[in-house]
PDB file of all heavy atoms in Angstrom:
ATOM      1  N   GLU A   7       0.821  -1.246  -0.022  1.00 96.00           N
ATOM      2  CA  GLU A   7       0.008  -0.008  -0.013  1.00 96.00           C
ATOM      3  C   GLU A   7       0.912   1.265  -0.004  1.00 96.00           C
ATOM      4  O   GLU A   7       0.316   2.338  -0.398  1.00 96.00           O
ATOM      5  CB  GLU A   7      -0.893   0.005   1.194  1.00 96.00           C
ATOM      6  CG  GLU A   7      -1.994  -1.083   1.272  1.00 96.00           C
ATOM      7  CD  GLU A   7      -3.154  -0.814   0.239  1.00 96.00           C
ATOM      8  OE1 GLU A   7      -3.261   0.361  -0.204  1.00 96.00           O
ATOM      9  OE2 GLU A   7      -3.847  -1.790  -0.116  1.00 96.00           O
ATOM     10  N   GLU A   8       2.130   1.143   0.404  1.00 96.00           N
ATOM     11  CA  GLU A   8       2.970   2.348   0.610  1.00 96.00           C
ATOM     12  C   GLU A   8       3.267   3.001  -0.738  1.00 96.00           C
ATOM     13  O   GLU A   8       3.443   2.383  -1.783  1.00 96.00           O
ATOM     14  CB  GLU A   8       4.283   1.959   1.276  1.00 96.00           C
ATOM     15  CG  GLU A   8       4.083   1.378   2.655  1.00 96.00           C
ATOM     16  CD  GLU A   8       4.003  -0.177   2.597  1.00 96.00           C
ATOM     17  OE1 GLU A   8       3.488  -0.758   1.586  1.00 96.00           O
ATOM     18  OE2 GLU A   8       4.429  -0.837   3.610  1.00 96.00           O
ATOM     19  N   ASP A   9       3.327   4.349  -0.729  1.00 95.00           N
ATOM     20  CA  ASP A   9       3.805   5.157  -1.930  1.00 95.00           C
ATOM     21  C   ASP A   9       5.280   4.911  -2.129  1.00 95.00           C
ATOM     22  O   ASP A   9       6.061   5.193  -1.200  1.00 95.00           O
ATOM     23  CB  ASP A   9       3.514   6.624  -1.586  1.00 95.00           C
ATOM     24  CG  ASP A   9       3.935   7.497  -2.729  1.00 95.00           C
ATOM     25  OD1 ASP A   9       4.278   6.985  -3.894  1.00 95.00           O
ATOM     26  OD2 ASP A   9       3.935   8.746  -2.581  1.00 95.00           O
ATOM     27  N   ILE A  10       5.691   4.405  -3.244  1.00 97.00           N
ATOM     28  CA  ILE A  10       7.053   4.158  -3.530  1.00 97.00           C
ATOM     29  C   ILE A  10       7.730   5.142  -4.438  1.00 97.00           C
ATOM     30  O   ILE A  10       8.922   5.044  -4.795  1.00 97.00           O
ATOM     31  CB  ILE A  10       7.255   2.730  -4.117  1.00 97.00           C
ATOM     32  CG1 ILE A  10       6.526   2.656  -5.504  1.00 97.00           C
ATOM     33  CG2 ILE A  10       6.665   1.654  -3.162  1.00 97.00           C
ATOM     34  CD1 ILE A  10       6.831   1.350  -6.236  1.00 97.00           C
ATOM     35  N   SER A  11       7.011   6.243  -4.829  1.00 94.00           N
ATOM     36  CA  SER A  11       7.517   7.148  -5.876  1.00 94.00           C
ATOM     37  C   SER A  11       8.728   7.942  -5.385  1.00 94.00           C
ATOM     38  O   SER A  11       9.478   8.448  -6.168  1.00 94.00           O
ATOM     39  CB  SER A  11       6.408   8.092  -6.297  1.00 94.00           C
ATOM     40  OG  SER A  11       5.961   8.879  -5.205  1.00 94.00           O
ATOM     41  N   LYS A  12       8.950   7.997  -4.046  1.00 94.00           N
ATOM     42  CA  LYS A  12      10.112   8.750  -3.535  1.00 94.00           C
ATOM     43  C   LYS A  12      11.206   7.838  -3.132  1.00 94.00           C
ATOM     44  O   LYS A  12      12.300   8.336  -2.748  1.00 94.00           O
ATOM     45  CB  LYS A  12       9.638   9.544  -2.269  1.00 94.00           C
ATOM     46  CG  LYS A  12       8.552  10.560  -2.461  1.00 94.00           C
ATOM     47  CD  LYS A  12       8.973  11.679  -3.331  1.00 94.00           C
ATOM     48  CE  LYS A  12       7.963  12.869  -3.405  1.00 94.00           C
ATOM     49  NZ  LYS A  12       6.697  12.488  -3.989  1.00 94.00           N
ATOM     50  N   CYS A  13      11.108   6.559  -3.294  1.00 96.00           N
ATOM     51  CA  CYS A  13      12.167   5.566  -3.010  1.00 96.00           C
ATOM     52  C   CYS A  13      13.277   5.768  -4.076  1.00 96.00           C
ATOM     53  O   CYS A  13      12.972   5.872  -5.251  1.00 96.00           O
ATOM     54  CB  CYS A  13      11.641   4.168  -3.021  1.00 96.00           C
ATOM     55  SG  CYS A  13      10.427   3.786  -1.793  1.00 96.00           S
ATOM     56  N   ARG A  14      14.548   5.816  -3.585  1.00 96.00           N
ATOM     57  CA  ARG A  14      15.671   5.885  -4.447  1.00 96.00           C
ATOM     58  C   ARG A  14      16.732   4.764  -4.256  1.00 96.00           C
ATOM     59  O   ARG A  14      17.662   4.706  -4.985  1.00 96.00           O
ATOM     60  CB  ARG A  14      16.310   7.199  -4.332  1.00 96.00           C
ATOM     61  CG  ARG A  14      15.447   8.419  -4.756  1.00 96.00           C
ATOM     62  CD  ARG A  14      15.123   8.357  -6.201  1.00 96.00           C
ATOM     63  NE  ARG A  14      14.295   9.454  -6.631  1.00 96.00           N
ATOM     64  CZ  ARG A  14      12.897   9.361  -6.681  1.00 96.00           C
ATOM     65  NH1 ARG A  14      12.310   8.243  -6.365  1.00 96.00           N
ATOM     66  NH2 ARG A  14      12.165  10.388  -7.149  1.00 96.00           N
ATOM     67  N   THR A  15      16.452   3.908  -3.329  1.00 96.00           N
ATOM     68  CA  THR A  15      17.282   2.721  -3.076  1.00 96.00           C
ATOM     69  C   THR A  15      16.398   1.500  -2.929  1.00 96.00           C
ATOM     70  O   THR A  15      15.203   1.655  -2.543  1.00 96.00           O
ATOM     71  CB  THR A  15      18.132   2.835  -1.821  1.00 96.00           C
ATOM     72  OG1 THR A  15      17.301   2.870  -0.664  1.00 96.00           O
ATOM     73  CG2 THR A  15      19.016   4.113  -1.823  1.00 96.00           C
ATOM     74  N   PHE A  16      16.919   0.377  -3.264  1.00 97.00           N
ATOM     75  CA  PHE A  16      16.176  -0.863  -3.233  1.00 97.00           C
ATOM     76  C   PHE A  16      15.645  -1.104  -1.778  1.00 97.00           C
ATOM     77  O   PHE A  16      14.442  -1.563  -1.606  1.00 97.00           O
ATOM     78  CB  PHE A  16      16.973  -2.053  -3.677  1.00 97.00           C
ATOM     79  CG  PHE A  16      16.204  -3.293  -3.819  1.00 97.00           C
ATOM     80  CD1 PHE A  16      15.239  -3.490  -4.787  1.00 97.00           C
ATOM     81  CD2 PHE A  16      16.507  -4.384  -2.938  1.00 97.00           C
ATOM     82  CE1 PHE A  16      14.540  -4.644  -4.914  1.00 97.00           C
ATOM     83  CE2 PHE A  16      15.709  -5.566  -3.039  1.00 97.00           C
ATOM     84  CZ  PHE A  16      14.804  -5.702  -3.976  1.00 97.00           C
ATOM     85  N   GLU A  17      16.445  -0.785  -0.781  1.00 97.00           N
ATOM     86  CA  GLU A  17      16.112  -1.052   0.616  1.00 97.00           C
ATOM     87  C   GLU A  17      14.963  -0.174   1.111  1.00 97.00           C
ATOM     88  O   GLU A  17      14.289  -0.524   2.093  1.00 97.00           O
ATOM     89  CB  GLU A  17      17.356  -0.757   1.499  1.00 97.00           C
ATOM     90  CG  GLU A  17      18.511  -1.815   1.313  1.00 97.00           C
ATOM     91  CD  GLU A  17      19.148  -1.667  -0.033  1.00 97.00           C
ATOM     92  OE1 GLU A  17      19.241  -0.534  -0.635  1.00 97.00           O
ATOM     93  OE2 GLU A  17      19.722  -2.689  -0.541  1.00 97.00           O
ATOM     94  N   GLU A  18      14.744   0.962   0.390  1.00 97.00           N
ATOM     95  CA  GLU A  18      13.605   1.841   0.810  1.00 97.00           C
ATOM     96  C   GLU A  18      12.277   1.288   0.355  1.00 97.00           C
ATOM     97  O   GLU A  18      11.243   1.728   0.814  1.00 97.00           O
ATOM     98  CB  GLU A  18      13.776   3.253   0.206  1.00 97.00           C
ATOM     99  CG  GLU A  18      14.958   4.075   0.849  1.00 97.00           C
ATOM    100  CD  GLU A  18      15.183   5.356   0.135  1.00 97.00           C
ATOM    101  OE1 GLU A  18      15.001   5.462  -1.043  1.00 97.00           O
ATOM    102  OE2 GLU A  18      15.501   6.300   0.896  1.00 97.00           O
ATOM    103  N   LEU A  19      12.233   0.416  -0.609  1.00 97.00           N
ATOM    104  CA  LEU A  19      11.007  -0.183  -1.029  1.00 97.00           C
ATOM    105  C   LEU A  19      10.340  -0.996   0.069  1.00 97.00           C
ATOM    106  O   LEU A  19      11.052  -1.630   0.906  1.00 97.00           O
ATOM    107  CB  LEU A  19      11.194  -1.103  -2.239  1.00 97.00           C
ATOM    108  CG  LEU A  19      11.576  -0.403  -3.579  1.00 97.00           C
ATOM    109  CD1 LEU A  19      11.976  -1.504  -4.607  1.00 97.00           C
ATOM    110  CD2 LEU A  19      10.456   0.439  -4.091  1.00 97.00           C
ATOM    111  N   PRO A  20       8.939  -1.086   0.028  1.00 97.00           N
ATOM    112  CA  PRO A  20       8.356  -1.970   1.040  1.00 97.00           C
ATOM    113  C   PRO A  20       8.811  -3.433   0.863  1.00 97.00           C
ATOM    114  O   PRO A  20       9.214  -3.825  -0.304  1.00 97.00           O
ATOM    115  CB  PRO A  20       6.866  -1.844   0.677  1.00 97.00           C
ATOM    116  CG  PRO A  20       6.688  -0.562  -0.101  1.00 97.00           C
ATOM    117  CD  PRO A  20       8.032  -0.352  -0.773  1.00 97.00           C
ATOM    118  N   LYS A  21       8.745  -4.263   1.857  1.00 97.00           N
ATOM    119  CA  LYS A  21       9.209  -5.602   1.799  1.00 97.00           C
ATOM    120  C   LYS A  21       8.587  -6.347   0.620  1.00 97.00           C
ATOM    121  O   LYS A  21       9.230  -7.071  -0.106  1.00 97.00           O
ATOM    122  CB  LYS A  21       8.991  -6.287   3.157  1.00 97.00           C
ATOM    123  CG  LYS A  21       9.433  -7.787   3.201  1.00 97.00           C
ATOM    124  CD  LYS A  21      10.909  -7.988   3.091  1.00 97.00           C
ATOM    125  CE  LYS A  21      11.372  -9.359   3.523  1.00 97.00           C
ATOM    126  NZ  LYS A  21      10.687 -10.476   2.842  1.00 97.00           N
ATOM    127  N   ASN A  22       7.284  -6.244   0.548  1.00 97.00           N
ATOM    128  CA  ASN A  22       6.577  -6.948  -0.519  1.00 97.00           C
ATOM    129  C   ASN A  22       6.971  -6.504  -1.947  1.00 97.00           C
ATOM    130  O   ASN A  22       6.999  -7.309  -2.855  1.00 97.00           O
ATOM    131  CB  ASN A  22       5.092  -6.793  -0.357  1.00 97.00           C
ATOM    132  CG  ASN A  22       4.472  -7.660   0.815  1.00 97.00           C
ATOM    133  OD1 ASN A  22       5.268  -8.471   1.344  1.00 97.00           O
ATOM    134  ND2 ASN A  22       3.240  -7.434   1.081  1.00 97.00           N
ATOM    135  N   ALA A  23       7.287  -5.215  -2.087  1.00 97.00           N
ATOM    136  CA  ALA A  23       7.794  -4.719  -3.393  1.00 97.00           C
ATOM    137  C   ALA A  23       9.156  -5.319  -3.660  1.00 97.00           C
ATOM    138  O   ALA A  23       9.475  -5.700  -4.857  1.00 97.00           O
ATOM    139  CB  ALA A  23       7.840  -3.203  -3.378  1.00 97.00           C
ATOM    140  N   GLN A  24      10.033  -5.357  -2.666  1.00 97.00           N
ATOM    141  CA  GLN A  24      11.341  -5.982  -2.823  1.00 97.00           C
ATOM    142  C   GLN A  24      11.189  -7.451  -3.209  1.00 97.00           C
ATOM    143  O   GLN A  24      11.841  -7.953  -4.145  1.00 97.00           O
ATOM    144  CB  GLN A  24      12.137  -5.907  -1.525  1.00 97.00           C
ATOM    145  CG  GLN A  24      12.541  -4.481  -1.133  1.00 97.00           C
ATOM    146  CD  GLN A  24      13.382  -4.503   0.156  1.00 97.00           C
ATOM    147  OE1 GLN A  24      14.178  -5.388   0.352  1.00 97.00           O
ATOM    148  NE2 GLN A  24      13.276  -3.461   0.971  1.00 97.00           N
ATOM    149  N   ASP A  25      10.322  -8.170  -2.544  1.00 97.00           N
ATOM    150  CA  ASP A  25      10.118  -9.562  -2.803  1.00 97.00           C
ATOM    151  C   ASP A  25       9.644  -9.810  -4.240  1.00 97.00           C
ATOM    152  O   ASP A  25       9.953 -10.734  -4.940  1.00 97.00           O
ATOM    153  CB  ASP A  25       9.131 -10.164  -1.828  1.00 97.00           C
ATOM    154  CG  ASP A  25       9.739 -10.319  -0.454  1.00 97.00           C
ATOM    155  OD1 ASP A  25      10.956 -10.179  -0.325  1.00 97.00           O
ATOM    156  OD2 ASP A  25       8.947 -10.543   0.523  1.00 97.00           O
ATOM    157  N   TYR A  26       8.644  -8.932  -4.659  1.00 97.00           N
ATOM    158  CA  TYR A  26       8.133  -9.048  -6.021  1.00 97.00           C
ATOM    159  C   TYR A  26       9.270  -8.844  -7.067  1.00 97.00           C
ATOM    160  O   TYR A  26       9.355  -9.676  -8.055  1.00 97.00           O
ATOM    161  CB  TYR A  26       7.065  -7.923  -6.252  1.00 97.00           C
ATOM    162  CG  TYR A  26       6.537  -7.913  -7.680  1.00 97.00           C
ATOM    163  CD1 TYR A  26       5.514  -8.792  -8.010  1.00 97.00           C
ATOM    164  CD2 TYR A  26       6.951  -6.992  -8.641  1.00 97.00           C
ATOM    165  CE1 TYR A  26       4.967  -8.812  -9.353  1.00 97.00           C
ATOM    166  CE2 TYR A  26       6.389  -6.952  -9.892  1.00 97.00           C
ATOM    167  CZ  TYR A  26       5.390  -7.889 -10.295  1.00 97.00           C
ATOM    168  OH  TYR A  26       4.850  -7.930 -11.563  1.00 97.00           O
ATOM    169  N   ILE A  27      10.110  -7.897  -6.940  1.00 98.00           N
ATOM    170  CA  ILE A  27      11.232  -7.656  -7.863  1.00 98.00           C
ATOM    171  C   ILE A  27      12.213  -8.822  -7.785  1.00 98.00           C
ATOM    172  O   ILE A  27      12.637  -9.317  -8.874  1.00 98.00           O
ATOM    173  CB  ILE A  27      12.006  -6.344  -7.461  1.00 98.00           C
ATOM    174  CG1 ILE A  27      11.213  -5.105  -7.761  1.00 98.00           C
ATOM    175  CG2 ILE A  27      13.368  -6.261  -8.217  1.00 98.00           C
ATOM    176  CD1 ILE A  27      10.827  -4.830  -9.210  1.00 98.00           C
ATOM    177  N   LEU A  28      12.555  -9.348  -6.640  1.00 97.00           N
ATOM    178  CA  LEU A  28      13.482 -10.459  -6.602  1.00 97.00           C
ATOM    179  C   LEU A  28      12.884 -11.721  -7.240  1.00 97.00           C
ATOM    180  O   LEU A  28      13.521 -12.486  -7.840  1.00 97.00           O
ATOM    181  CB  LEU A  28      13.820 -10.764  -5.069  1.00 97.00           C
ATOM    182  CG  LEU A  28      14.680  -9.652  -4.415  1.00 97.00           C
ATOM    183  CD1 LEU A  28      14.773  -9.941  -2.865  1.00 97.00           C
ATOM    184  CD2 LEU A  28      15.976  -9.463  -5.033  1.00 97.00           C
ATOM    185  N   ALA A  29      11.603 -11.961  -7.032  1.00 97.00           N
ATOM    186  CA  ALA A  29      10.888 -13.101  -7.658  1.00 97.00           C
ATOM    187  C   ALA A  29      10.867 -12.965  -9.175  1.00 97.00           C
ATOM    188  O   ALA A  29      11.196 -13.909  -9.886  1.00 97.00           O
ATOM    189  CB  ALA A  29       9.511 -13.206  -7.095  1.00 97.00           C
ATOM    190  N   VAL A  30      10.437 -11.809  -9.629  1.00 97.00           N
ATOM    191  CA  VAL A  30      10.401 -11.588 -11.078  1.00 97.00           C
ATOM    192  C   VAL A  30      11.829 -11.678 -11.727  1.00 97.00           C
ATOM    193  O   VAL A  30      12.036 -12.213 -12.778  1.00 97.00           O
ATOM    194  CB  VAL A  30       9.853 -10.185 -11.339  1.00 97.00           C
ATOM    195  CG1 VAL A  30      10.128  -9.669 -12.857  1.00 97.00           C
ATOM    196  CG2 VAL A  30       8.308 -10.202 -11.083  1.00 97.00           C
ATOM    197  N   GLU A  31      12.836 -11.117 -10.969  1.00 97.00           N
ATOM    198  CA  GLU A  31      14.220 -11.306 -11.481  1.00 97.00           C
ATOM    199  C   GLU A  31      14.615 -12.799 -11.618  1.00 97.00           C
ATOM    200  O   GLU A  31      15.165 -13.163 -12.638  1.00 97.00           O
ATOM    201  CB  GLU A  31      15.163 -10.585 -10.406  1.00 97.00           C
ATOM    202  CG  GLU A  31      16.617 -10.613 -10.867  1.00 97.00           C
ATOM    203  CD  GLU A  31      17.462  -9.836  -9.842  1.00 97.00           C
ATOM    204  OE1 GLU A  31      17.523 -10.234  -8.691  1.00 97.00           O
ATOM    205  OE2 GLU A  31      18.134  -8.838 -10.292  1.00 97.00           O
ATOM    206  N   LYS A  32      14.322 -13.619 -10.671  1.00 97.00           N
ATOM    207  CA  LYS A  32      14.680 -14.972 -10.723  1.00 97.00           C
ATOM    208  C   LYS A  32      13.855 -15.695 -11.881  1.00 97.00           C
ATOM    209  O   LYS A  32      14.450 -16.541 -12.569  1.00 97.00           O
ATOM    210  CB  LYS A  32      14.238 -15.620  -9.362  1.00 97.00           C
ATOM    211  CG  LYS A  32      14.755 -17.106  -9.294  1.00 97.00           C
ATOM    212  CD  LYS A  32      14.454 -17.648  -7.907  1.00 97.00           C
ATOM    213  CE  LYS A  32      14.950 -19.091  -7.797  1.00 97.00           C
ATOM    214  NZ  LYS A  32      14.615 -19.685  -6.464  1.00 97.00           N
ATOM    215  N   LEU A  33      12.654 -15.295 -12.140  1.00 97.00           N
ATOM    216  CA  LEU A  33      11.884 -15.902 -13.168  1.00 97.00           C
ATOM    217  C   LEU A  33      12.269 -15.468 -14.568  1.00 97.00           C
ATOM    218  O   LEU A  33      12.013 -16.146 -15.558  1.00 97.00           O
ATOM    219  CB  LEU A  33      10.390 -15.567 -12.920  1.00 97.00           C
ATOM    220  CG  LEU A  33       9.661 -16.253 -11.784  1.00 97.00           C
ATOM    221  CD1 LEU A  33       8.327 -15.515 -11.527  1.00 97.00           C
ATOM    222  CD2 LEU A  33       9.402 -17.712 -12.172  1.00 97.00           C
ATOM    223  N   SER A  34      12.951 -14.242 -14.693  1.00 97.00           N
ATOM    224  CA  SER A  34      13.140 -13.645 -15.965  1.00 97.00           C
ATOM    225  C   SER A  34      14.513 -13.969 -16.582  1.00 97.00           C
ATOM    226  O   SER A  34      14.698 -13.584 -17.758  1.00 97.00           O
ATOM    227  CB  SER A  34      12.943 -12.093 -15.833  1.00 97.00           C
ATOM    228  OG  SER A  34      11.635 -11.825 -15.414  1.00 97.00           O
ATOM    229  N   GLY A  35      15.406 -14.577 -15.926  1.00 91.00           N
ATOM    230  CA  GLY A  35      16.573 -15.083 -16.521  1.00 91.00           C
ATOM    231  C   GLY A  35      17.744 -14.049 -16.635  1.00 91.00           C
ATOM    232  O   GLY A  35      18.711 -14.240 -17.430  1.00 91.00           O
ATOM    233  N   CYS A  36      17.573 -12.878 -16.001  1.00 95.00           N
ATOM    234  CA  CYS A  36      18.608 -11.852 -16.047  1.00 95.00           C
ATOM    235  C   CYS A  36      18.408 -10.823 -14.902  1.00 95.00           C
ATOM    236  O   CYS A  36      17.308 -10.683 -14.389  1.00 95.00           O
ATOM    237  CB  CYS A  36      18.428 -11.090 -17.409  1.00 95.00           C
ATOM    238  SG  CYS A  36      19.711  -9.841 -17.549  1.00 95.00           S
ATOM    239  N   ARG A  37      19.537 -10.206 -14.482  1.00 97.00           N
ATOM    240  CA  ARG A  37      19.382  -9.275 -13.293  1.00 97.00           C
ATOM    241  C   ARG A  37      18.570  -8.114 -13.691  1.00 97.00           C
ATOM    242  O   ARG A  37      18.520  -7.620 -14.778  1.00 97.00           O
ATOM    243  CB  ARG A  37      20.805  -8.938 -12.906  1.00 97.00           C
ATOM    244  CG  ARG A  37      21.501  -7.916 -13.848  1.00 97.00           C
ATOM    245  CD  ARG A  37      22.909  -7.588 -13.296  1.00 97.00           C
ATOM    246  NE  ARG A  37      23.517  -6.460 -14.089  1.00 97.00           N
ATOM    247  CZ  ARG A  37      24.730  -5.983 -13.860  1.00 97.00           C
ATOM    248  NH1 ARG A  37      25.430  -6.475 -12.884  1.00 97.00           N
ATOM    249  NH2 ARG A  37      25.164  -5.017 -14.660  1.00 97.00           N
ATOM    250  N   ILE A  38      17.915  -7.532 -12.724  1.00 97.00           N
ATOM    251  CA  ILE A  38      17.169  -6.310 -12.807  1.00 97.00           C
ATOM    252  C   ILE A  38      18.014  -5.185 -12.253  1.00 97.00           C
ATOM    253  O   ILE A  38      18.292  -5.145 -11.033  1.00 97.00           O
ATOM    254  CB  ILE A  38      15.731  -6.394 -12.144  1.00 97.00           C
ATOM    255  CG1 ILE A  38      14.835  -7.384 -12.789  1.00 97.00           C
ATOM    256  CG2 ILE A  38      15.121  -4.926 -12.060  1.00 97.00           C
ATOM    257  CD1 ILE A  38      13.562  -7.624 -12.082  1.00 97.00           C
ATOM    258  N   SER A  39      18.493  -4.312 -13.180  1.00 95.00           N
ATOM    259  CA  SER A  39      19.536  -3.377 -12.743  1.00 95.00           C
ATOM    260  C   SER A  39      18.943  -1.972 -12.383  1.00 95.00           C
ATOM    261  O   SER A  39      19.635  -1.203 -11.677  1.00 95.00           O
ATOM    262  CB  SER A  39      20.524  -3.113 -13.911  1.00 95.00           C
ATOM    263  OG  SER A  39      21.275  -4.342 -14.034  1.00 95.00           O
ATOM    264  N   ALA A  40      17.692  -1.749 -12.862  1.00 95.00           N
ATOM    265  CA  ALA A  40      17.056  -0.435 -12.427  1.00 95.00           C
ATOM    266  C   ALA A  40      15.588  -0.658 -12.397  1.00 95.00           C
ATOM    267  O   ALA A  40      14.935  -1.499 -13.109  1.00 95.00           O
ATOM    268  CB  ALA A  40      17.425   0.647 -13.481  1.00 95.00           C
ATOM    269  N   ILE A  41      14.915   0.150 -11.522  1.00 96.00           N
ATOM    270  CA  ILE A  41      13.535   0.019 -11.188  1.00 96.00           C
ATOM    271  C   ILE A  41      12.882   1.349 -11.327  1.00 96.00           C
ATOM    272  O   ILE A  41      13.131   2.269 -10.546  1.00 96.00           O
ATOM    273  CB  ILE A  41      13.277  -0.601  -9.840  1.00 96.00           C
ATOM    274  CG1 ILE A  41      13.946  -1.894  -9.693  1.00 96.00           C
ATOM    275  CG2 ILE A  41      11.743  -0.763  -9.568  1.00 96.00           C
ATOM    276  CD1 ILE A  41      14.163  -2.316  -8.203  1.00 96.00           C
TER     277      ILE A  41
END
């Protein structure tokens, strides 16, 4: 639910948003370098 538009580091993202990115990264076959 948190507003992420002001986040500038990965660690600032909500835990669920971090988990989503990490899961998608693993599924996609290549590192995600920018969000």
Side-chain angles (χ1 to χ4, degrees):
E7 294 288 340
E8 300 92 330
D9 179 11
I10 64 171
S11 62
K12 300 292 190 296
C13 297
R14 295 298 178 266
T15 67
F16 186 70
E17 291 70 28
E18 290 176 325
L19 289 172
K21 177 68 165 53
N22 285 352
Q24 292 184 34
D25 290 345
Y26 179 80
I27 290 294
L28 293 173
V30 164
E31 182 176 60
K32 188 176 180 181
L33 288 164
S34 300
C36 181
R37 71 181 189 180
I38 293 174
S39 294
I41 304 160

